[in-house]
Amino acid sequence: MSVGNEQDTVYVEPKKSGAGKWLLFGGCGCLFLILLVCGGGGYWFYGTFYKPLYDEMNGTVALLESSEVVQEKVGEPVTVVMSNQPRQESNEVLEVDYEVSGPTGNGTVVVRFRFDPASFTWTRDDMYLEFEGEQINVDPDAETPELDLEGIPEL
């Protein structure tokens, strides 16, 4: 019996299993799906709750810039800047201050937004200008009370 030469011996690597590759792809795929679901949920939450509020707040800026009452008090052109983060008065009411300024003065407009949980909408509830110690209603949607002139003699 002859012993073979070491140089004649062929080493064959064992075949690798594909399990590691599948674990890597499976783990990354699950992570991708989790991020996709969380991102979609966050986008839905933003679109349902916050975007309507920000749209209403931006509409208020445009409304204040064109308000005749504000223009009369602070002059034209009117500059409107949101002065701070909204303050939450309750679960359904948010209060936002806007600094308005013009050539003849400056003031603060306080706006209250109300959330309707049934329709998921924000509406402007109250809007008034604080200017030189007085509060002036600048909400164009506010109803002005009708005066009862019955019983008052004419002059």
Side-chain angles (χ1 to χ4, degrees), residues 60-78:
T60 301
V61 169
L63 186 69
L64 290 173
E65 288 174 340
S66 64
S67 170
E68 292 178 11
V69 176
V70 174
Q71 290 174 356
E72 179 184 308
K73 293 294 181 182
V74 300
E76 285 189 70
V78 177

Side-chain angles (χ1 to χ4, degrees), residues 59-126:
T60 301
V61 169
L63 186 69
L64 290 173
E65 288 174 340
S66 64
S67 170
E68 292 178 11
V69 176
V70 174
Q71 290 174 356
E72 179 184 308
K73 293 294 181 182
V74 300
E76 285 189 70
V78 177
T79 304
V80 181
V81 177
M82 191 169 80
S83 63
N84 59 8
Q85 290 294 324
R87 293 180 305 281
Q88 188 167 357
E89 292 183 353
S90 68
N91 286 340
E92 297 174 356
V93 177
L94 225 62
E95 190 173 276
V96 181
D97 292 346
Y98 294 90
E99 296 296 325
V100 292
S101 60
T104 60
N106 54 15
T108 303
V109 176
V110 179
V111 183
R112 285 193 184 93
F113 296 98
R114 184 170 300 280
F115 179 69
D116 180 17
S119 63
F120 292 108
T121 57
W122 288 90
T123 55
R124 196 176 48 255
D125 193 34
D126 191 18

